[in-house]
Amino acid sequence: MNKKKNIYLKTENLSKPLKLECSISGWMNLWGNLGAFVSPLLCGWLAENFGWNITLGVTIIPVFIAAILWLFVKPDTSLLN
């Protein structure tokens, strides 16, 4: 008799996420959407009042901070340890 392997075995855990994973996903979604809403308003206001050179100088600061913080992300380690 030929036994077939269950091809869905490896994706079983994806249907049952942990509470912590859901919370992290929600926070990432919240801040991403909030930034997408606020950034055009803030950049427009900065550009009108201070010019584009200042606006681009101010908005590049969070990009550099995010790039530095990205170097410390370790996706292979648990958040609880």
Side-chain angles (χ1 to χ4, degrees):
M1 183 176 248
N2 231 353
K3 290 187 178 181
K4 294 183 180 180
K5 292 183 179 180
N6 187 358
I7 61 171
Y8 301 106
L9 184 62
K10 293 186 179 191
T11 59
E12 181 179 348
N13 289 337
L14 294 178
S15 64
K16 300 174 187 174
L18 299 173
K19 289 181 181 180
L20 184 62
E21 292 167 346
C22 293
S23 177
I24 291 171
S25 178
W27 276 101
M28 287 172 38
N29 192 18
L30 167 80
W31 291 110
N33 287 327
L34 186 65
F37 175 75
V38 170
S39 63
L41 301 174
L42 179 63
C43 289
W45 181 81
L46 284 172
E48 283 185 3
N49 293 315
F50 300 105
W52 280 106
N53 288 334
I54 299 296
T55 301
L56 294 175
V58 168
T59 57
I60 199 69
I61 294 169
V63 173
F64 281 128
I65 293 171
I68 291 169
L69 291 175
W70 181 256
L71 297 174
F72 296 101
V73 172
K74 296 186 180 1
D76 55 339
T77 59
S78 174
L79 292 172
L80 300 177
N81 290 336

